[in-house]
Amino acid sequence: MSRRAAVPGLPSQYPIGGQLPALYADDDFAQRFTAGLDTVLAPVFATLDNLPAYLDPRVAPSDFLAWLASWVGAVDDPQWPVERRREAVVRAVELHRWRGTRRGLVEALRLALGVHAEVTGDGGAAWSSTPGADLPPEPAAEVLVRVWPDGDTRVDPARIHEVVRAMCPVHTVCRVEILPGPPTDEGR
């Protein structure tokens, strides 16, 4: 539900009464009638004058973020803090560009859940730069995603799996490990 409505006492930047022909300048009824229209139109003019701010997710009203997110295909979770929702809309196009890559998966997990991640494996991609060369050996078709919380962040395994499924290419098998802290060299 929108919180924007008529604002009591909001003056019109463009009062209609002052723009009427001289014949109506002293007409009490015409001035009162147009003052009523000014009251109705003042929020419309204020919105139009500030339209760039409505379209900028960094400063748009928080109840406007869901609509902006739908424009750019961003995830908008009403349970997230407003600043995280704003960042998701601002970075949506960039994240779409990185979708299906290690970087995209790591950034999506950080943005959506506030966790750190490390991705190993290539999902079975192999190629050769030599025309007519023998096929390369079959690579492992599994991607390992290690996730650990940032500080006191609580990790929800279901949400992690949801983000991983959404960001990994369809043909890959992704295995997720949730670690209590950052991985060490001994733990690899």
Side-chain angles (χ1 to χ4, degrees), residues 28-67:
D28 183 55
F29 175 74
Q31 292 299 317
R32 285 185 292 124
F33 179 74
T34 56
L37 294 175
D38 288 339
T39 302
V40 172
L41 293 175
V44 174
F45 289 137
T47 300
L48 291 175
D49 288 346
N50 295 299
L51 192 59
Y54 278 89
L55 301 178
D56 184 349
R58 293 173 294 243
V59 294
S62 59
D63 61 328
F64 210 69
L65 287 174
W67 191 51

PDB file of all heavy atoms in Angstrom, residues 28-67:
ATOM      1  N   ASP A  28     -13.993  35.844  -6.399  1.00  0.00           N
ATOM      2  CA  ASP A  28     -13.800  34.996  -5.220  1.00  0.00           C
ATOM      3  C   ASP A  28     -14.089  33.533  -5.516  1.00  0.00           C
ATOM      4  O   ASP A  28     -13.330  32.646  -5.109  1.00  0.00           O
ATOM      5  CB  ASP A  28     -14.693  35.498  -4.074  1.00  0.00           C
ATOM      6  CG  ASP A  28     -14.466  34.707  -2.811  1.00  0.00           C
ATOM      7  OD1 ASP A  28     -13.289  34.628  -2.383  1.00  0.00           O
ATOM      8  OD2 ASP A  28     -15.437  34.143  -2.268  1.00  0.00           O
ATOM      9  N   PHE A  29     -15.185  33.256  -6.223  1.00  0.00           N
ATOM     10  CA  PHE A  29     -15.533  31.860  -6.533  1.00  0.00           C
ATOM     11  C   PHE A  29     -14.445  31.211  -7.392  1.00  0.00           C
ATOM     12  O   PHE A  29     -14.029  30.088  -7.120  1.00  0.00           O
ATOM     13  CB  PHE A  29     -16.889  31.775  -7.238  1.00  0.00           C
ATOM     14  CG  PHE A  29     -17.213  30.378  -7.681  1.00  0.00           C
ATOM     15  CD1 PHE A  29     -17.594  29.421  -6.768  1.00  0.00           C
ATOM     16  CD2 PHE A  29     -17.086  30.006  -9.025  1.00  0.00           C
ATOM     17  CE1 PHE A  29     -17.869  28.127  -7.157  1.00  0.00           C
ATOM     18  CE2 PHE A  29     -17.347  28.713  -9.421  1.00  0.00           C
ATOM     19  CZ  PHE A  29     -17.746  27.763  -8.494  1.00  0.00           C
ATOM     20  N   ALA A  30     -13.975  31.886  -8.432  1.00  0.00           N
ATOM     21  CA  ALA A  30     -12.944  31.328  -9.319  1.00  0.00           C
ATOM     22  C   ALA A  30     -11.659  31.050  -8.538  1.00  0.00           C
ATOM     23  O   ALA A  30     -11.008  30.016  -8.734  1.00  0.00           O
ATOM     24  CB  ALA A  30     -12.676  32.277 -10.481  1.00  0.00           C
ATOM     25  N   GLN A  31     -11.288  31.944  -7.649  1.00  0.00           N
ATOM     26  CA  GLN A  31     -10.061  31.768  -6.874  1.00  0.00           C
ATOM     27  C   GLN A  31     -10.187  30.596  -5.898  1.00  0.00           C
ATOM     28  O   GLN A  31      -9.260  29.805  -5.738  1.00  0.00           O
ATOM     29  CB  GLN A  31      -9.690  33.059  -6.141  1.00  0.00           C
ATOM     30  CG  GLN A  31      -9.266  34.194  -7.064  1.00  0.00           C
ATOM     31  CD  GLN A  31      -8.037  33.842  -7.892  1.00  0.00           C
ATOM     32  OE1 GLN A  31      -7.073  33.264  -7.390  1.00  0.00           O
ATOM     33  NE2 GLN A  31      -8.086  34.178  -9.179  1.00  0.00           N
ATOM     34  N   ARG A  32     -11.342  30.470  -5.230  1.00  0.00           N
ATOM     35  CA  ARG A  32     -11.558  29.339  -4.307  1.00  0.00           C
ATOM     36  C   ARG A  32     -11.606  28.019  -5.070  1.00  0.00           C
ATOM     37  O   ARG A  32     -11.062  27.015  -4.616  1.00  0.00           O
ATOM     38  CB  ARG A  32     -12.842  29.539  -3.495  1.00  0.00           C
ATOM     39  CG  ARG A  32     -12.693  30.587  -2.383  1.00  0.00           C
ATOM     40  CD  ARG A  32     -13.926  30.695  -1.498  1.00  0.00           C
ATOM     41  NE  ARG A  32     -15.039  31.253  -2.279  1.00  0.00           N
ATOM     42  CZ  ARG A  32     -16.221  30.673  -2.435  1.00  0.00           C
ATOM     43  NH1 ARG A  32     -16.476  29.531  -1.834  1.00  0.00           N
ATOM     44  NH2 ARG A  32     -17.170  31.243  -3.165  1.00  0.00           N
ATOM     45  N   PHE A  33     -12.264  28.027  -6.228  1.00  0.00           N
ATOM     46  CA  PHE A  33     -12.380  26.807  -7.039  1.00  0.00           C
ATOM     47  C   PHE A  33     -10.993  26.340  -7.498  1.00  0.00           C
ATOM     48  O   PHE A  33     -10.641  25.166  -7.376  1.00  0.00           O
ATOM     49  CB  PHE A  33     -13.289  27.065  -8.243  1.00  0.00           C
ATOM     50  CG  PHE A  33     -13.453  25.873  -9.134  1.00  0.00           C
ATOM     51  CD1 PHE A  33     -14.238  24.796  -8.755  1.00  0.00           C
ATOM     52  CD2 PHE A  33     -12.809  25.812 -10.370  1.00  0.00           C
ATOM     53  CE1 PHE A  33     -14.386  23.690  -9.567  1.00  0.00           C
ATOM     54  CE2 PHE A  33     -12.946  24.710 -11.184  1.00  0.00           C
ATOM     55  CZ  PHE A  33     -13.741  23.650 -10.790  1.00  0.00           C
ATOM     56  N   THR A  34     -10.205  27.267  -8.023  1.00  0.00           N
ATOM     57  CA  THR A  34      -8.869  26.873  -8.489  1.00  0.00           C
ATOM     58  C   THR A  34      -7.945  26.525  -7.323  1.00  0.00           C
ATOM     59  O   THR A  34      -7.045  25.695  -7.469  1.00  0.00           O
ATOM     60  CB  THR A  34      -8.244  27.990  -9.352  1.00  0.00           C
ATOM     61  OG1 THR A  34      -8.209  29.198  -8.613  1.00  0.00           O
ATOM     62  CG2 THR A  34      -9.023  28.185 -10.642  1.00  0.00           C
ATOM     63  N   ALA A  35      -8.164  27.128  -6.142  1.00  0.00           N
ATOM     64  CA  ALA A  35      -7.366  26.760  -4.962  1.00  0.00           C
ATOM     65  C   ALA A  35      -7.639  25.305  -4.582  1.00  0.00           C
ATOM     66  O   ALA A  35      -6.727  24.587  -4.157  1.00  0.00           O
ATOM     67  CB  ALA A  35      -7.673  27.689  -3.798  1.00  0.00           C
ATOM     68  N   GLY A  36      -8.890  24.859  -4.762  1.00  0.00           N
ATOM     69  CA  GLY A  36      -9.212  23.453  -4.510  1.00  0.00           C
ATOM     70  C   GLY A  36      -8.493  22.537  -5.492  1.00  0.00           C
ATOM     71  O   GLY A  36      -8.023  21.456  -5.131  1.00  0.00           O
ATOM     72  N   LEU A  37      -8.410  22.967  -6.741  1.00  0.00           N
ATOM     73  CA  LEU A  37      -7.672  22.184  -7.741  1.00  0.00           C
ATOM     74  C   LEU A  37      -6.175  22.168  -7.411  1.00  0.00           C
ATOM     75  O   LEU A  37      -5.507  21.147  -7.596  1.00  0.00           O
ATOM     76  CB  LEU A  37      -7.907  22.754  -9.141  1.00  0.00           C
ATOM     77  CG  LEU A  37      -9.334  22.638  -9.685  1.00  0.00           C
ATOM     78  CD1 LEU A  37      -9.446  23.343 -11.024  1.00  0.00           C
ATOM     79  CD2 LEU A  37      -9.751  21.191  -9.808  1.00  0.00           C
ATOM     80  N   ASP A  38      -5.671  23.300  -6.926  1.00  0.00           N
ATOM     81  CA  ASP A  38      -4.255  23.355  -6.539  1.00  0.00           C
ATOM     82  C   ASP A  38      -3.948  22.336  -5.444  1.00  0.00           C
ATOM     83  O   ASP A  38      -2.908  21.679  -5.470  1.00  0.00           O
ATOM     84  CB  ASP A  38      -3.889  24.762  -6.033  1.00  0.00           C
ATOM     85  CG  ASP A  38      -3.829  25.784  -7.158  1.00  0.00           C
ATOM     86  OD1 ASP A  38      -3.676  25.386  -8.327  1.00  0.00           O
ATOM     87  OD2 ASP A  38      -3.941  26.993  -6.851  1.00  0.00           O
ATOM     88  N   THR A  39      -4.863  22.197  -4.499  1.00  0.00           N
ATOM     89  CA  THR A  39      -4.675  21.232  -3.410  1.00  0.00           C
ATOM     90  C   THR A  39      -4.583  19.810  -3.946  1.00  0.00           C
ATOM     91  O   THR A  39      -3.772  19.007  -3.481  1.00  0.00           O
ATOM     92  CB  THR A  39      -5.837  21.337  -2.397  1.00  0.00           C
ATOM     93  OG1 THR A  39      -5.879  22.671  -1.905  1.00  0.00           O
ATOM     94  CG2 THR A  39      -5.658  20.367  -1.249  1.00  0.00           C
ATOM     95  N   VAL A  40      -5.410  19.501  -4.946  1.00  0.00           N
ATOM     96  CA  VAL A  40      -5.410  18.157  -5.531  1.00  0.00           C
ATOM     97  C   VAL A  40      -4.188  17.938  -6.409  1.00  0.00           C
ATOM     98  O   VAL A  40      -3.599  16.854  -6.425  1.00  0.00           O
ATOM     99  CB  VAL A  40      -6.713  17.936  -6.340  1.00  0.00           C
ATOM    100  CG1 VAL A  40      -6.655  16.636  -7.107  1.00  0.00           C
ATOM    101  CG2 VAL A  40      -7.922  17.968  -5.429  1.00  0.00           C
ATOM    102  N   LEU A  41      -3.782  18.959  -7.149  1.00  0.00           N
ATOM    103  CA  LEU A  41      -2.683  18.807  -8.109  1.00  0.00           C
ATOM    104  C   LEU A  41      -1.298  18.991  -7.502  1.00  0.00           C
ATOM    105  O   LEU A  41      -0.306  18.560  -8.099  1.00  0.00           O
ATOM    106  CB  LEU A  41      -2.872  19.798  -9.260  1.00  0.00           C
ATOM    107  CG  LEU A  41      -4.080  19.525 -10.156  1.00  0.00           C
ATOM    108  CD1 LEU A  41      -4.228  20.630 -11.186  1.00  0.00           C
ATOM    109  CD2 LEU A  41      -3.955  18.171 -10.826  1.00  0.00           C
ATOM    110  N   ALA A  42      -1.180  19.606  -6.332  1.00  0.00           N
ATOM    111  CA  ALA A  42       0.134  19.858  -5.726  1.00  0.00           C
ATOM    112  C   ALA A  42       0.948  18.564  -5.553  1.00  0.00           C
ATOM    113  O   ALA A  42       2.130  18.536  -5.918  1.00  0.00           O
ATOM    114  CB  ALA A  42      -0.016  20.597  -4.402  1.00  0.00           C
ATOM    115  N   PRO A  43       0.371  17.445  -5.033  1.00  0.00           N
ATOM    116  CA  PRO A  43       1.170  16.217  -4.923  1.00  0.00           C
ATOM    117  C   PRO A  43       1.574  15.649  -6.292  1.00  0.00           C
ATOM    118  O   PRO A  43       2.642  15.066  -6.430  1.00  0.00           O
ATOM    119  CB  PRO A  43       0.253  15.237  -4.188  1.00  0.00           C
ATOM    120  CG  PRO A  43      -0.775  16.077  -3.532  1.00  0.00           C
ATOM    121  CD  PRO A  43      -0.926  17.298  -4.363  1.00  0.00           C
ATOM    122  N   VAL A  44       0.727  15.835  -7.299  1.00  0.00           N
ATOM    123  CA  VAL A  44       1.059  15.356  -8.648  1.00  0.00           C
ATOM    124  C   VAL A  44       2.270  16.128  -9.169  1.00  0.00           C
ATOM    125  O   VAL A  44       3.230  15.534  -9.684  1.00  0.00           O
ATOM    126  CB  VAL A  44      -0.148  15.513  -9.600  1.00  0.00           C
ATOM    127  CG1 VAL A  44       0.239  15.166 -11.020  1.00  0.00           C
ATOM    128  CG2 VAL A  44      -1.314  14.669  -9.119  1.00  0.00           C
ATOM    129  N   PHE A  45       2.235  17.450  -9.040  1.00  0.00           N
ATOM    130  CA  PHE A  45       3.364  18.254  -9.496  1.00  0.00           C
ATOM    131  C   PHE A  45       4.635  17.935  -8.702  1.00  0.00           C
ATOM    132  O   PHE A  45       5.726  17.874  -9.255  1.00  0.00           O
ATOM    133  CB  PHE A  45       3.048  19.749  -9.401  1.00  0.00           C
ATOM    134  CG  PHE A  45       2.043  20.219 -10.409  1.00  0.00           C
ATOM    135  CD1 PHE A  45       1.039  21.096 -10.042  1.00  0.00           C
ATOM    136  CD2 PHE A  45       2.088  19.788 -11.728  1.00  0.00           C
ATOM    137  CE1 PHE A  45       0.103  21.541 -10.972  1.00  0.00           C
ATOM    138  CE2 PHE A  45       1.161  20.226 -12.666  1.00  0.00           C
ATOM    139  CZ  PHE A  45       0.162  21.109 -12.286  1.00  0.00           C
ATOM    140  N   ALA A  46       4.484  17.737  -7.396  1.00  0.00           N
ATOM    141  CA  ALA A  46       5.646  17.406  -6.569  1.00  0.00           C
ATOM    142  C   ALA A  46       6.257  16.078  -7.011  1.00  0.00           C
ATOM    143  O   ALA A  46       7.483  15.933  -7.077  1.00  0.00           O
ATOM    144  CB  ALA A  46       5.255  17.354  -5.094  1.00  0.00           C
ATOM    145  N   THR A  47       5.420  15.103  -7.335  1.00  0.00           N
ATOM    146  CA  THR A  47       5.915  13.807  -7.811  1.00  0.00           C
ATOM    147  C   THR A  47       6.612  13.953  -9.153  1.00  0.00           C
ATOM    148  O   THR A  47       7.701  13.416  -9.365  1.00  0.00           O
ATOM    149  CB  THR A  47       4.762  12.792  -7.915  1.00  0.00           C
ATOM    150  OG1 THR A  47       4.180  12.635  -6.622  1.00  0.00           O
ATOM    151  CG2 THR A  47       5.249  11.449  -8.411  1.00  0.00           C
ATOM    152  N   LEU A  48       5.991  14.661 -10.077  1.00  0.00           N
ATOM    153  CA  LEU A  48       6.603  14.844 -11.397  1.00  0.00           C
ATOM    154  C   LEU A  48       7.905  15.627 -11.313  1.00  0.00           C
ATOM    155  O   LEU A  48       8.868  15.318 -12.025  1.00  0.00           O
ATOM    156  CB  LEU A  48       5.620  15.537 -12.340  1.00  0.00           C
ATOM    157  CG  LEU A  48       4.412  14.704 -12.741  1.00  0.00           C
ATOM    158  CD1 LEU A  48       3.441  15.532 -13.572  1.00  0.00           C
ATOM    159  CD2 LEU A  48       4.830  13.458 -13.498  1.00  0.00           C
ATOM    160  N   ASP A  49       7.955  16.631 -10.448  1.00  0.00           N
ATOM    161  CA  ASP A  49       9.183  17.403 -10.284  1.00  0.00           C
ATOM    162  C   ASP A  49      10.314  16.551  -9.709  1.00  0.00           C
ATOM    163  O   ASP A  49      11.486  16.843  -9.930  1.00  0.00           O
ATOM    164  CB  ASP A  49       8.949  18.612  -9.374  1.00  0.00           C
ATOM    165  CG  ASP A  49       8.128  19.696 -10.054  1.00  0.00           C
ATOM    166  OD1 ASP A  49       7.973  19.641 -11.294  1.00  0.00           O
ATOM    167  OD2 ASP A  49       7.636  20.599  -9.340  1.00  0.00           O
ATOM    168  N   ASN A  50       9.963  15.520  -8.947  1.00  0.00           N
ATOM    169  CA  ASN A  50      10.965  14.658  -8.310  1.00  0.00           C
ATOM    170  C   ASN A  50      11.057  13.278  -8.954  1.00  0.00           C
ATOM    171  O   ASN A  50      11.582  12.350  -8.338  1.00  0.00           O
ATOM    172  CB  ASN A  50      10.646  14.519  -6.821  1.00  0.00           C
ATOM    173  CG  ASN A  50      10.786  15.832  -6.109  1.00  0.00           C
ATOM    174  OD1 ASN A  50      11.863  16.397  -6.082  1.00  0.00           O
ATOM    175  ND2 ASN A  50       9.691  16.351  -5.574  1.00  0.00           N
ATOM    176  N   LEU A  51      10.569  13.135 -10.172  1.00  0.00           N
ATOM    177  CA  LEU A  51      10.547  11.828 -10.835  1.00  0.00           C
ATOM    178  C   LEU A  51      11.922  11.157 -10.905  1.00  0.00           C
ATOM    179  O   LEU A  51      12.018   9.948 -10.671  1.00  0.00           O
ATOM    180  CB  LEU A  51       9.921  11.949 -12.225  1.00  0.00           C
ATOM    181  CG  LEU A  51       9.574  10.639 -12.908  1.00  0.00           C
ATOM    182  CD1 LEU A  51       8.596   9.824 -12.064  1.00  0.00           C
ATOM    183  CD2 LEU A  51       8.993  10.902 -14.289  1.00  0.00           C
ATOM    184  N   PRO A  52      12.986  11.877 -11.208  1.00  0.00           N
ATOM    185  CA  PRO A  52      14.286  11.196 -11.214  1.00  0.00           C
ATOM    186  C   PRO A  52      14.621  10.520  -9.878  1.00  0.00           C
ATOM    187  O   PRO A  52      15.223   9.452  -9.851  1.00  0.00           O
ATOM    188  CB  PRO A  52      15.287  12.318 -11.527  1.00  0.00           C
ATOM    189  CG  PRO A  52      14.485  13.314 -12.293  1.00  0.00           C
ATOM    190  CD  PRO A  52      13.106  13.263 -11.678  1.00  0.00           C
ATOM    191  N   ALA A  53      14.215  11.123  -8.774  1.00  0.00           N
ATOM    192  CA  ALA A  53      14.479  10.510  -7.465  1.00  0.00           C
ATOM    193  C   ALA A  53      13.653   9.239  -7.278  1.00  0.00           C
ATOM    194  O   ALA A  53      14.107   8.293  -6.642  1.00  0.00           O
ATOM    195  CB  ALA A  53      14.178  11.499  -6.346  1.00  0.00           C
ATOM    196  N   TYR A  54      12.456   9.191  -7.829  1.00  0.00           N
ATOM    197  CA  TYR A  54      11.644   7.981  -7.729  1.00  0.00           C
ATOM    198  C   TYR A  54      12.276   6.840  -8.520  1.00  0.00           C
ATOM    199  O   TYR A  54      12.117   5.672  -8.172  1.00  0.00           O
ATOM    200  CB  TYR A  54      10.229   8.234  -8.260  1.00  0.00           C
ATOM    201  CG  TYR A  54       9.309   8.890  -7.273  1.00  0.00           C
ATOM    202  CD1 TYR A  54       9.229  10.272  -7.176  1.00  0.00           C
ATOM    203  CD2 TYR A  54       8.509   8.123  -6.430  1.00  0.00           C
ATOM    204  CE1 TYR A  54       8.380  10.882  -6.275  1.00  0.00           C
ATOM    205  CE2 TYR A  54       7.663   8.722  -5.520  1.00  0.00           C
ATOM    206  CZ  TYR A  54       7.601  10.095  -5.440  1.00  0.00           C
ATOM    207  OH  TYR A  54       6.764  10.682  -4.538  1.00  0.00           O
ATOM    208  N   LEU A  55      12.980   7.150  -9.597  1.00  0.00           N
ATOM    209  CA  LEU A  55      13.552   6.123 -10.461  1.00  0.00           C
ATOM    210  C   LEU A  55      14.967   5.728 -10.067  1.00  0.00           C
ATOM    211  O   LEU A  55      15.538   4.824 -10.667  1.00  0.00           O
ATOM    212  CB  LEU A  55      13.526   6.600 -11.914  1.00  0.00           C
ATOM    213  CG  LEU A  55      12.134   6.926 -12.450  1.00  0.00           C
ATOM    214  CD1 LEU A  55      12.217   7.439 -13.866  1.00  0.00           C
ATOM    215  CD2 LEU A  55      11.201   5.728 -12.352  1.00  0.00           C
ATOM    216  N   ASP A  56      15.531   6.373  -9.070  1.00  0.00           N
ATOM    217  CA  ASP A  56      16.858   6.039  -8.571  1.00  0.00           C
ATOM    218  C   ASP A  56      16.691   5.167  -7.331  1.00  0.00           C
ATOM    219  O   ASP A  56      16.246   5.651  -6.288  1.00  0.00           O
ATOM    220  CB  ASP A  56      17.627   7.314  -8.229  1.00  0.00           C
ATOM    221  CG  ASP A  56      19.054   7.046  -7.790  1.00  0.00           C
ATOM    222  OD1 ASP A  56      19.408   5.874  -7.536  1.00  0.00           O
ATOM    223  OD2 ASP A  56      19.819   8.016  -7.696  1.00  0.00           O
ATOM    224  N   PRO A  57      17.039   3.881  -7.401  1.00  0.00           N
ATOM    225  CA  PRO A  57      16.801   2.994  -6.253  1.00  0.00           C
ATOM    226  C   PRO A  57      17.550   3.394  -4.988  1.00  0.00           C
ATOM    227  O   PRO A  57      17.170   2.991  -3.903  1.00  0.00           O
ATOM    228  CB  PRO A  57      17.269   1.622  -6.744  1.00  0.00           C
ATOM    229  CG  PRO A  57      18.009   1.857  -7.989  1.00  0.00           C
ATOM    230  CD  PRO A  57      17.654   3.197  -8.527  1.00  0.00           C
ATOM    231  N   ARG A  58      18.593   4.193  -5.112  1.00  0.00           N
ATOM    232  CA  ARG A  58      19.339   4.611  -3.916  1.00  0.00           C
ATOM    233  C   ARG A  58      18.562   5.587  -3.060  1.00  0.00           C
ATOM    234  O   ARG A  58      18.835   5.707  -1.860  1.00  0.00           O
ATOM    235  CB  ARG A  58      20.682   5.198  -4.325  1.00  0.00           C
ATOM    236  CG  ARG A  58      21.621   4.156  -4.943  1.00  0.00           C
ATOM    237  CD  ARG A  58      22.841   4.836  -5.458  1.00  0.00           C
ATOM    238  NE  ARG A  58      22.488   5.707  -6.564  1.00  0.00           N
ATOM    239  CZ  ARG A  58      22.930   5.564  -7.807  1.00  0.00           C
ATOM    240  NH1 ARG A  58      23.765   4.599  -8.096  1.00  0.00           N
ATOM    241  NH2 ARG A  58      22.556   6.393  -8.758  1.00  0.00           N
ATOM    242  N   VAL A  59      17.595   6.331  -3.656  1.00  0.00           N
ATOM    243  CA  VAL A  59      16.845   7.324  -2.885  1.00  0.00           C
ATOM    244  C   VAL A  59      15.331   7.188  -3.041  1.00  0.00           C
ATOM    245  O   VAL A  59      14.586   7.928  -2.415  1.00  0.00           O
ATOM    246  CB  VAL A  59      17.265   8.762  -3.289  1.00  0.00           C
ATOM    247  CG1 VAL A  59      18.696   9.034  -2.895  1.00  0.00           C
ATOM    248  CG2 VAL A  59      17.039   9.015  -4.764  1.00  0.00           C
ATOM    249  N   ALA A  60      14.869   6.251  -3.847  1.00  0.00           N
ATOM    250  CA  ALA A  60      13.428   6.080  -4.064  1.00  0.00           C
ATOM    251  C   ALA A  60      12.732   5.701  -2.759  1.00  0.00           C
ATOM    252  O   ALA A  60      13.347   5.101  -1.871  1.00  0.00           O
ATOM    253  CB  ALA A  60      13.177   4.989  -5.109  1.00  0.00           C
ATOM    254  N   PRO A  61      11.449   6.040  -2.637  1.00  0.00           N
ATOM    255  CA  PRO A  61      10.705   5.600  -1.447  1.00  0.00           C
ATOM    256  C   PRO A  61      10.766   4.071  -1.337  1.00  0.00           C
ATOM    257  O   PRO A  61      10.741   3.358  -2.340  1.00  0.00           O
ATOM    258  CB  PRO A  61       9.278   6.084  -1.725  1.00  0.00           C
ATOM    259  CG  PRO A  61       9.433   7.186  -2.716  1.00  0.00           C
ATOM    260  CD  PRO A  61      10.626   6.844  -3.542  1.00  0.00           C
ATOM    261  N   SER A  62      10.866   3.571  -0.111  1.00  0.00           N
ATOM    262  CA  SER A  62      11.067   2.128   0.078  1.00  0.00           C
ATOM    263  C   SER A  62       9.923   1.295  -0.483  1.00  0.00           C
ATOM    264  O   SER A  62      10.148   0.177  -0.951  1.00  0.00           O
ATOM    265  CB  SER A  62      11.284   1.807   1.553  1.00  0.00           C
ATOM    266  OG  SER A  62      10.174   2.226   2.312  1.00  0.00           O
ATOM    267  N   ASP A  63       8.691   1.832  -0.475  1.00  0.00           N
ATOM    268  CA  ASP A  63       7.586   1.039  -1.027  1.00  0.00           C
ATOM    269  C   ASP A  63       7.598   1.056  -2.560  1.00  0.00           C
ATOM    270  O   ASP A  63       6.832   0.342  -3.189  1.00  0.00           O
ATOM    271  CB  ASP A  63       6.235   1.528  -0.488  1.00  0.00           C
ATOM    272  CG  ASP A  63       5.940   2.969  -0.853  1.00  0.00           C
ATOM    273  OD1 ASP A  63       6.895   3.757  -0.961  1.00  0.00           O
ATOM    274  OD2 ASP A  63       4.758   3.307  -1.013  1.00  0.00           O
ATOM    275  N   PHE A  64       8.475   1.817  -3.165  1.00  0.00           N
ATOM    276  CA  PHE A  64       8.617   1.895  -4.617  1.00  0.00           C
ATOM    277  C   PHE A  64       9.655   0.895  -5.127  1.00  0.00           C
ATOM    278  O   PHE A  64       9.732   0.614  -6.312  1.00  0.00           O
ATOM    279  CB  PHE A  64       9.042   3.325  -4.974  1.00  0.00           C
ATOM    280  CG  PHE A  64       8.579   3.807  -6.309  1.00  0.00           C
ATOM    281  CD1 PHE A  64       7.249   4.052  -6.558  1.00  0.00           C
ATOM    282  CD2 PHE A  64       9.496   4.042  -7.318  1.00  0.00           C
ATOM    283  CE1 PHE A  64       6.833   4.521  -7.785  1.00  0.00           C
ATOM    284  CE2 PHE A  64       9.095   4.509  -8.544  1.00  0.00           C
ATOM    285  CZ  PHE A  64       7.754   4.745  -8.780  1.00  0.00           C
ATOM    286  N   LEU A  65      10.462   0.346  -4.215  1.00  0.00           N
ATOM    287  CA  LEU A  65      11.552  -0.543  -4.614  1.00  0.00           C
ATOM    288  C   LEU A  65      11.069  -1.813  -5.301  1.00  0.00           C
ATOM    289  O   LEU A  65      11.704  -2.295  -6.235  1.00  0.00           O
ATOM    290  CB  LEU A  65      12.408  -0.910  -3.404  1.00  0.00           C
ATOM    291  CG  LEU A  65      13.300   0.201  -2.877  1.00  0.00           C
ATOM    292  CD1 LEU A  65      13.980  -0.243  -1.596  1.00  0.00           C
ATOM    293  CD2 LEU A  65      14.313   0.606  -3.915  1.00  0.00           C
ATOM    294  N   ALA A  66       9.955  -2.376  -4.851  1.00  0.00           N
ATOM    295  CA  ALA A  66       9.456  -3.613  -5.470  1.00  0.00           C
ATOM    296  C   ALA A  66       9.128  -3.379  -6.938  1.00  0.00           C
ATOM    297  O   ALA A  66       9.400  -4.234  -7.794  1.00  0.00           O
ATOM    298  CB  ALA A  66       8.226  -4.122  -4.723  1.00  0.00           C
ATOM    299  N   TRP A  67       8.552  -2.245  -7.237  1.00  0.00           N
ATOM    300  CA  TRP A  67       8.215  -1.933  -8.620  1.00  0.00           C
ATOM    301  C   TRP A  67       9.482  -1.745  -9.445  1.00  0.00           C
ATOM    302  O   TRP A  67       9.602  -2.267 -10.557  1.00  0.00           O
ATOM    303  CB  TRP A  67       7.333  -0.689  -8.661  1.00  0.00           C
ATOM    304  CG  TRP A  67       6.720  -0.413  -9.980  1.00  0.00           C
ATOM    305  CD1 TRP A  67       6.007  -1.287 -10.758  1.00  0.00           C
ATOM    306  CD2 TRP A  67       6.741   0.821 -10.696  1.00  0.00           C
ATOM    307  NE1 TRP A  67       5.581  -0.671 -11.896  1.00  0.00           N
ATOM    308  CE2 TRP A  67       6.026   0.634 -11.888  1.00  0.00           C
ATOM    309  CE3 TRP A  67       7.292   2.054 -10.433  1.00  0.00           C
ATOM    310  CZ2 TRP A  67       5.849   1.632 -12.824  1.00  0.00           C
ATOM    311  CZ3 TRP A  67       7.107   3.061 -11.368  1.00  0.00           C
ATOM    312  CH2 TRP A  67       6.398   2.843 -12.542  1.00  0.00           C
TER     313      TRP A  67
END
